[in-house]
Amino acid sequence: MSEAVRVAIIGSGPAGLSAAARAAQLGLSHVLLEKTDHLSDTIFKYQKGKHVMATPARLDLRSDCRFDEGSREAILGIWDEDAAANKVTVAYRAEVVEVTGEKGAFHIRTASGDTIVAEHIVLAIGTQGNPNRLRCPGNDLPHIIYQVDDPEDFRDRHITVVGSGDAGIENALGVAEEALENRVTILNRSKDFARAKAKNVSDLMEAGENGAIDIRTETQPKIVEPGWLTLETPTGDERIECDVIVARLGSVAPRAFVESMGIEFTGPDREAFPKLSPTFETTVPGIYVIGALAGYPLIKHCMNQGYDVVEFINGNNALTPADEKNLATIFANLPQQKTVGEWLDHLRVRVRIFADVSPLQMREFMLDSKLAYYPAGEVVFEKDEPGSSLFAIADGHALVEVAPGVTVPIEQGSIFGEVGLISGRKRGATIRAGEDSIFVEVSRTAALKLMGAVPGAKRVIERISLERQLLQIFKGGLRVEDLAPVIDGAEVIRVSAGKPVVVEGDAGDDVYVVRSGSMVVEKHIGGRPIFLRYLPAGSYFGEMAVLSGEKRNATVKAAVGSEVIKLTGAGFKAMLAARSQVRAATEAAVAERAAMNGFIESRKTSYTSAVDLYSDTASFIMKEGLGEATDALLIDENLCVGCDNCEKACADSHEGLSRLDREAGRTFAHLHVPTSCRHCEHPHCMADCPPNVIHRGPDGEVYMEDGCIGCGNCMRNCPYGVIRMESTPPPKPGLLSWLLLGRGPGPGEPSPQWTKANMPEGKKPKKIAVKCDMCKGIAGGPACVRACPTGAAIRVSPEEFLSVARLEEDAD
Amino acid sequence: MATLFRRRAQRTHVERVRHRRHEGFLRYANFRWAKISGMLCLLIVASYALVDVTPRPNGGSWYGYTLGTIGAALILWLTALGYRKRRMTSDYWSLKAWTSAHVYLGLSLIVIGTWHTGFQLGWNVHTLTWALMMLVILSGLYGVIVYATLPAVLSNNREQMTQMQMLEAIRAFDRQLHAAAQPLTAEDTAPVLAALDEDPFAGGIRARLTGRYPRCATAAALRALAGSHAADAEARGKVVGLLRQKEAALARLRRHLRLRALLEIWVYVHVPLSFALIVALSAHIVSVFFYW
């Protein structure tokens, strides 16, 4: 192709297709480059019949292509029609391998050797990357597949899975389902499955022991032939029958390719995105990035951006983004009247953390945020209220209540509520508006994204959080100025689970603050470590040695992966010296802790077994990952009669699905931790939710609001296996009609058979994530606990459960 | 994000009742219902002795009617537990508290019902009602005893396994047995095949409750193979080993099923008898008023 096109669009997903359609509508010469032989490969690869959602509902679609929620097939069909109707020029099998040149004359070389010359490039390649391929002879045979759409497609076959990551193990377990009668082998080049999640590994090992999967370690494929596979094993080559090879060898992220064009990213970490201007232009003029690669994983965003970017390239600078009306509603209820653009500029000038934020990023943050007017004296939030959002002061100032009747001001331009970003626990202090003020409330996810994308914002937030955390811990008239000696030498240290921070008997006078995660304190008494205390985030330790000048009198180690802030002993002493009240308060706290240690030690001599049980129970609870729990279901198996009324109550309090499995899970000394959500301090499930529907509610519960797209990320990310992907069963007949007439399946979750038989005609069940929401919105509280007839079930946080009161009662 | 931004003033936050420790239904609220029920019984016994009913204490006296009314109302309320247990309304209630009250107030019926009779028993519908009530209480008492003693045994026996996992373990041994038994002679194979065909749930109610399975095919196969002199000694040794493992897995599952059956069986007596009691009670009340 010799003649230059106005715009070349790389990638034909929703973003690229929408961009190409707009270019075609505007009459721009264009080409849409697609590496496969069909449009939108990511969605093409979805499981057959998968229901695709159209979130966020509040955002209007602005594209020449249509899109509404529906099945994968319907959506792909509509897009094929729209591509044809808009007369989009598509080049299939055009995998781009290199881009050279500059704005006006980019040279795009494809894998087949063609070169396309384009004035502008729109990169819409998504984040899927290319799967790594097998490297042995025969690797081009068609029976090698790189993903399993639906395990049910495989029946009575010899299947070999190559790859030891989660994807490989999950595929192997899927096709090894007994009813499918496949003979499944999994190959692992190394000895163990170190890259996979523990749950997957244990499931795989169990399947191996049951004979459902043949697990071959230190083995790799050597030669692929139709029907056969030669393996290279530690004991020599071996030829096995093999009809299908599933290769799950990871993929090459597209970042290297993007960087090869000279495009800069916001940072070195994996979450970083390309740096973009308000018109999606990268640091290389003439190259634009949209869609998932730009950080927008939702289809609607992608399609709108495709439309917008081509309008921008065409010189339409007056175009307001499709989210303008959403932003306008955010600014609508304020006393001052400004346009959206003016508000955004106002905030960027006045708030410190927004100083380095680009206008495009600012728009996005505001969509996840709220701007509110607070009259003087109004409470923004109260102490001990759950909440994780960050507030920034646009106008006015805030007052923090550090002690009853004592307030400290926070000036305009600063932030508050930042503790929620680091530790998902309750608010540390009550905050009021000091005068008529306007505060920006940024959701935790948006704030974390901001910190990831804008290093300047991250620095400001981290410094302020450290100051505040120390102010809250060491109360008593401490001021920001007093903290300078401590903060300048402070250092954030990451500690992996089980690693000690302070070891009993060592010298050292550093003081540590638990920033996130939690710690356990242990002391060697009578030749074995005895659990003394559980320290949740926001506690401090190591102060005894500073005050006494003696060696460490106990070991402190991380219960879960945690972060601690190390303060030097000298700086800490200087801080105490500055404020006698703080010194007195710290000494009082030390005395209290020492008294408790003394109590446990004295009990150890007279009530050895009670102390041992307390200590062992604590270690069991920590080992079960409850160190990161804020509220967990614990069952006393001395009381549990196995009636499963908790599960039934759970199902009946929600939409017919139980969110807990009573019988599964580990047990120690009759204390059973069932498979049920523990509402982690930092929920793993929240980490990667494309529609961002997982939140922490007012009672500390981690819950999902409507809008789940069924991607299953949360289920895979949860280390405790408490999230199910299920479709809602049809409504059941009432309880009385079951009791008196025997109609319906009765209390609890209906059997799959009943659900299938009673699903209304034509309704296709859609599987979405289901997890415990701690019975949010139900006045009576958690149904599992209320419905336990014997009192076996309770919900507690680890610090409540492991109180010394427990030990006292046990010893008495 | 709706709740994230909810202001304090609009919050409908309900203070939830939280327990930091496990507390069984018998100890609930420091034996609140035991105390209430005990007081009630004492009150009845004392007043019975003090009130001089003429010509003699009788269910038909004013005192007898009072006790009878209390007893009948209590019986109906106690029956409602089955409904309460299954009705997941959203307001605050604790089934543990209901169970606790059910147990202790149910026991108090011994005094209420018996003292209501004025110790006049005979062969009539009235005494039938009293007898049924005592049987219901007796079966309930058994329930309380197994609820207090068996859960720990059940927990120890299952050793963190679920019932599904126990079944899966047995199936896994079956698969291995199937493969290992291939080289056996025909006469050694037959008992192994019988063991493979065995349904772990078979055996009937008697076996379920006693935990004794005299016709267990796995045990029979072990006996048969131990006595076999066929020429397949090595393969037989392997099969015997697997059979022993399967027998142990079966034994665990059977203990599990037995304990669960013991924890449940009494309900099948308690509930039907309760309904029989309500029928008899109705007949008793109707007949009393009919022959006024």
Side-chain angles (χ1 to χ4, degrees):
Chain A
M1 214 177 275
S2 55
E3 204 177 316
V5 290
R6 188 73 188 280
V7 51
I9 299 137
I10 306 177
S12 72
L17 179 65
S18 176
R22 180 84 296 232
Q25 282 294 317
L26 291 173
L28 305 182
S29 59
H30 69 278
V31 62
L32 178 60
L33 302 169
E34 169 54 50
K35 71 173 183 226
T36 66
D37 60 357
H38 47 256
L39 294 176
S40 198
D41 191 47
T42 302
I43 290 160
F44 187 86
K45 279 180 179 163
Y46 280 179
Q47 189 175 304
K48 271 188 210 126
K50 181 180 162 86
H51 189 88
V52 181
M53 312 284 272
T55 47
R58 59 177 181 200
L59 184 66
D60 292 335
L61 180 69
R62 180 159 70 184
S63 171
D64 299 299
C65 299
R66 289 164 292 163
F67 173 59
D68 208 345
E69 68 170 79
S71 73
R72 159 194 175 270
E73 287 73 15
I75 289 169
L76 290 174
I78 284 173
W79 285 346
D80 281 339
E81 282 170 27
D82 288 351
N86 285 308
K87 300 198 168 55
V88 172
T89 319
V90 191
Y92 289 110
R93 292 181 207 84
E95 184 176 357
V96 176
V97 289
E98 193 186 35
V99 173
T100 50
E102 57 188 31
K103 186 171 181 172
F106 287 110
H107 289 258
I108 304 167
R109 200 161 58 78
T110 66
S112 55
D114 294 336
T115 300
I116 295 141
V117 183
E119 291 173 26
H120 303 86
I121 294 178
V122 174
L123 268 183
I125 55 177
T127 50
Q128 293 284 315
N130 296 323
N132 292 332
R133 299 186 173 269
L134 284 184
R135 275 186 298 236
C136 56
N139 62 2
D140 49 355
L141 287 171
H143 69 278
I144 304 176
I145 57 173
Y146 291 90
Q147 66 179 44
V148 174
D149 292 335
D150 187 352
E152 306 262 338
D153 295 345
F154 304 92
R155 279 174 191 279
D156 194 19
R157 310 278 281 278
H158 289 96
I159 302 175
T160 305
V161 179
V162 188
S164 56
D166 285 316
I169 296 177
E170 280 164 19
N171 284 168
L173 290 169
V175 293
E177 196 61 39
E178 205 175 331
L180 301 177
E181 298 183 0
N182 293 311
R183 285 155 302 280
V184 183
T185 308
I186 186 165
L187 308 185
N188 181 0
R189 201 160 33 148
S190 50
K191 258 192 184 143
D192 43 24
F193 292 83
R195 284 191 299 129
K197 284 201 305 192
K199 166 95 171 51
N200 275 335
V201 178
S202 68
D203 285 356
L204 178 69
M205 291 306 153
E206 199 185 314
E209 280 162 28
N210 294 341
I213 297 181
D214 185 11
I215 303 170
R216 314 283 300 249
T217 54
E218 295 181 273
T219 301
Q220 43 186 327
K222 197 174 180 196
I223 304 166
V224 183
E225 295 158 281
W228 293 91
L229 174 67
T230 306
L231 302 176
E232 192 183 318
T233 73
T235 51
D237 290 356
E238 192 182 330
R239 196 157 176 262
I240 62 167
E241 268 191 274
C242 174
D243 309 316
V244 179
I245 296 177
V246 181
R248 298 310 301 255
L249 305 164
S251 60
V252 180
R255 176 165 177 165
F257 169 65
V258 176
E259 281 181 324
S260 74
M261 298 177 205
I263 295 169
E264 287 171 27
F265 276 67
T266 51
D269 35 320
R270 277 185 56 191
E271 298 88 56
F273 297 112
K275 287 187 187 163
L276 296 181
S277 77
T279 57
F280 303 104
E281 197 164 7
T282 62
T283 50
V284 178
I287 302 185
Y288 299 76
V289 168
I290 55 172
L293 181 61
Y296 297 86
L298 295 177
I299 294 177
K300 229 192 234 177
H301 278 143
C302 293
M303 295 182 73
N304 286 355
Q305 289 172 359
Y307 180 101
D308 293 356
V309 76
V310 172
E311 286 287 337
F312 292 139
I313 291 173
N314 198 35
N316 178 3
N317 291 326
L319 180 78
T320 56
D323 55 24
E324 187 83 3
K325 113 179 140 63
N326 305 100
L327 279 172
T329 51
I330 289 173
F331 297 125
N333 297 322
L334 296 173
Q336 294 140 289
Q337 290 301 316
K338 288 188 170 79
T339 65
V340 169
E342 283 167 356
W343 268 118
L344 292 175
D345 287 340
H346 179 77
L347 295 176
R348 286 172 61 216
V349 171
R350 294 185 64 101
V351 179
R352 271 162 74 194
I353 57 165
F354 293 146
D356 294 348
V357 180
S358 77
L360 191 68
Q361 288 166 323
M362 197 63 208
R363 296 192 86 90
E364 195 195 335
F365 295 132
M366 285 316 297
L367 279 178
D368 285 336
S369 311
K370 191 188 162 189
L371 207 59
Y373 166 77
Y374 293 81
E378 177 160 339
V379 172
V380 184
F381 55 71
E382 275 181 34
K383 184 174 159 64
D384 287 337
E385 198 176 298
S388 61
S389 53
L390 172 76
F391 289 82
I393 305 175
D395 285 310
H397 74 273
L399 289 175
V400 194
E401 195 176 293
V402 287
V406 185
T407 58
V408 172
I410 301 177
E411 76 283 12
Q412 181 251 308
S414 187
I415 54 168
F416 58 90
E418 72 292 336
V419 182
L421 297 184
I422 299 156
S423 116
R425 295 183 194 255
K426 293 173 180 169
R427 300 288 193 191
T430 300
I431 300 224
R432 291 192 177 80
E435 62 192 278
D436 291 358
S437 308
I438 293 177
F439 300 142
V440 189
E441 186 175 2
V442 188
S443 73
R444 178 169 188 265
T445 350
L448 291 178
K449 230 170 167 179
L450 172 78
M451 289 170 75
V454 186
K458 185 174 178 168
R459 271 196 305 278
V460 174
I461 294 176
E462 286 194 337
R463 168 101 195 185
I464 295 178
S465 0
L466 183 50
E467 288 171 3
R468 299 278 169 69
Q469 205 164 3
L470 294 177
L471 285 181
Q472 268 167 22
I473 292 173
F474 305 103
K475 297 176 184 76
L478 210 57
R479 292 185 174 278
V480 175
E481 303 85 80
D482 304 328
L483 291 173
V486 191
I487 288 186
D488 292 338
E491 189 186 345
V492 175
I493 303 171
R494 296 188 75 87
V495 200
S496 49
K499 287 269 149 45
V501 180
V502 163
V503 177
E504 187 179 349
D506 282 5
D509 64 350
D510 294 331
V511 177
Y512 298 86
V513 174
V514 186
R515 187 174 183 221
S516 67
S518 56
M519 301 278 147
V520 288
V521 186
E522 285 177 357
K523 191 173 172 65
H524 264 85
I525 305 174
R528 52 171 305 214
I530 294 298
F531 173 89
L532 290 184
R533 199 173 302 114
Y534 167 83
L535 298 174
S539 334
Y540 63 101
F541 58 92
E543 77 295 340
M544 281 191 181
V546 180
L547 294 180
S548 67
E550 286 167 15
K551 292 194 169 148
R552 302 290 189 192
N553 64 2
T555 297
V556 183
K557 59 186 188 189
V560 289
S562 307
E563 278 183 349
V564 292
I565 304 163
K566 181 172 137 183
L567 312 173
T568 59
F572 187 73
K573 272 185 195 152
M575 183 185 87
L576 293 188
R579 298 276 155 188
S580 58
Q581 277 166 292
V582 181
R583 187 177 179 95
T586 311
E587 277 170 351
V590 167
E592 199 182 302
R593 282 184 179 182
M596 213 168 91
N597 293 359
F599 168 77
I600 292 175
E601 270 184 77
S602 69
R603 289 284 149 152
K604 174 71 189 172
T605 47
S606 46
Y607 296 97
T608 313
S609 62
V611 174
D612 284 352
L613 182 65
Y614 172 69
S615 187
D616 291 345
T617 303
S619 341
F620 165 70
I621 282 181
M622 293 305 143
K623 216 168 80 197
E624 283 308 297
L626 290 179
E628 62 177 328
T630 62
D631 184 282
L633 179 61
L634 292 180
I635 290 179
D636 183 351
E637 291 205 333
N638 286 313
L639 293 169
C640 176
V641 294
C643 65
D644 281 335
N645 212 40
C646 44
E647 288 184 16
K648 289 176 191 155
C650 181
D652 287 346
S653 298
H654 298 94
E655 57 286 351
L657 293 171
S658 169
R659 291 102 198 278
L660 76 105
D661 185 342
R662 175 195 59 81
E663 209 177 14
R666 310 228 73 87
T667 310
F668 171 78
H670 299 122
L671 182 68
H672 179 61
V673 183
T675 300
S676 158
C677 181
R678 54 272 310 270
H679 303 276
C680 296
E681 184 197 344
H682 287 290
H684 302 268
C685 52
M686 264 191 211
D688 185 14
C689 174
N692 190 22
V693 293
I694 310 180
H695 305 294
R696 190 179 282 281
D699 287 305
E701 72 277 16
V702 176
Y703 71 99
M704 314 190 85
E705 60 181 15
D706 292 342
C708 171
I709 56 172
C711 68
N713 282 358
C714 52
M715 180 195 73
R716 284 187 290 274
N717 283 335
C718 174
Y720 308 110
V722 302
I723 301 183
R724 306 165 63 186
M725 303 301 297
E726 275 305 334
S727 48
T728 309
K732 297 187 289 194
L735 176 62
L736 277 176
S737 106
W738 172 77
L739 271 175
L740 303 176
L741 308 168
R743 289 175 51 208
E749 186 171 321
S751 68
Q753 292 82 356
W754 186 87
T755 298
K756 210 173 159 193
N758 288 276
M759 195 58 90
E761 205 63 40
K763 188 174 170 248
K764 190 158 166 49
K766 143 183 108 187
K767 287 196 174 179
I768 57 167
V770 177
K771 77 173 283 300
C772 167
D773 58 0
M774 242 156 89
C775 287
K776 174 185 158 51
I778 298 177
C784 47
V785 176
R786 277 190 292 148
C788 178
T790 62
I794 56 168
R795 294 204 73 107
V796 283
S797 67
E799 62 265 38
E800 284 171 338
F801 191 73
L802 292 172
S803 63
V804 177
R806 178 183 185 82
L807 177 62
E808 285 174 10
E809 283 170 41
D810 283 346
D812 291 341
Chain B
M1 208 145 311
T3 53
L4 177 66
F5 297 122
R6 205 157 56 186
R7 295 275 187 82
R8 178 74 182 180
Q10 293 144 20
R11 279 178 50 180
T12 52
H13 177 75
V14 177
E15 197 52 48
R16 288 176 178 174
V17 180
R18 286 179 71 92
H19 300 283
R20 286 160 184 236
R21 295 217 50 185
H22 287 107
E23 174 200 56
F25 65 100
L26 291 175
R27 308 177 62 95
Y28 169 73
N30 204 11
F31 297 98
R32 174 186 297 160
W33 290 103
K35 289 172 188 163
I36 291 174
S37 164
M39 289 302 290
L40 186 63
C41 292
L42 276 179
L43 191 75
I44 290 166
V45 173
S47 62
Y48 185 89
L50 296 176
V51 175
D52 185 18
V53 180
T54 48
R56 58 149 299 161
N58 179 290
S61 68
W62 67 267
Y63 186 81
Y65 278 138
T66 310
L67 286 187
T69 311
I70 295 173
L74 205 50
I75 286 171
L76 291 178
W77 181 81
L78 291 168
T79 319
L81 180 75
Y83 184 72
R84 169 77 282 174
K85 175 182 168 184
R86 295 173 177 88
R87 177 93 191 131
M88 280 314 300
T89 51
S90 63
D91 49 330
Y92 181 77
W93 47 270
S94 153
L95 190 60
K96 173 171 77 172
W98 274 72
T99 319
S100 188
H102 182 93
V103 166
Y104 290 116
L105 291 179
L107 286 173
S108 76
L109 268 178
I110 299 177
V111 172
I112 298 172
T114 311
W115 266 249
H116 162 69
T117 64
F119 302 97
Q120 289 177 298
L121 299 173
W123 296 102
N124 51 38
V125 70
H126 315 297
T127 304
L128 172 70
T129 310
W130 176 86
L132 281 171
M133 183 194 78
M134 293 307 283
L135 285 176
V136 171
I137 295 172
L138 218 57
S139 63
L141 207 55
Y142 166 85
V144 170
I145 292 166
V146 290
Y147 271 34
T149 52
L150 292 188
V153 186
L154 185 75
S155 170
N156 291 342
N157 177 60
R158 74 183 188 95
E159 288 184 62
Q160 315 193 28
M161 278 176 101
T162 65
Q163 188 169 312
M164 286 310 285
Q165 286 166 341
M166 293 180 206
L167 279 169
E168 191 42 58
I170 291 170
R171 268 190 234 123
F173 287 127
D174 280 350
R175 276 195 294 269
Q176 294 175 39
L177 270 171
H178 188 86
Q182 297 301 330
L184 293 188
T185 61
E187 73 187 271
D188 282 354
T189 311
V192 178
L193 281 178
L196 289 184
D197 280 340
E198 191 177 18
D199 175 5
F201 290 103
I205 180 80
R206 189 190 161 87
R208 186 68 71 89
L209 285 175
T210 57
R212 281 196 209 100
Y213 292 77
R215 281 194 297 277
C216 172
T218 306
L222 266 172
R223 283 194 301 272
L225 262 61
S228 168
H229 301 289
D232 48 9
E234 192 186 331
R236 200 170 58 229
K238 200 174 165 201
V239 170
V240 166
L242 282 168
L243 280 171
R244 288 229 169 81
Q245 284 177 288
K246 183 186 169 183
E247 197 180 31
L250 260 180
R252 182 206 293 273
L253 178 70
R254 283 168 176 165
R255 277 194 303 272
H256 182 77
L257 293 176
R258 171 170 183 262
L259 290 166
R260 295 213 47 174
L262 288 174
L263 279 166
E264 278 169 25
I265 185 76
W266 66 277
V267 179
Y268 293 94
V269 176
H270 192 71
V271 173
L273 277 182
S274 301
F275 284 102
L277 166 62
I278 289 173
V279 172
L281 184 65
S282 312
H284 160 67
I285 293 168
V286 168
S287 67
V288 162
F289 285 100
F290 192 77
Y291 294 110
W292 191 295

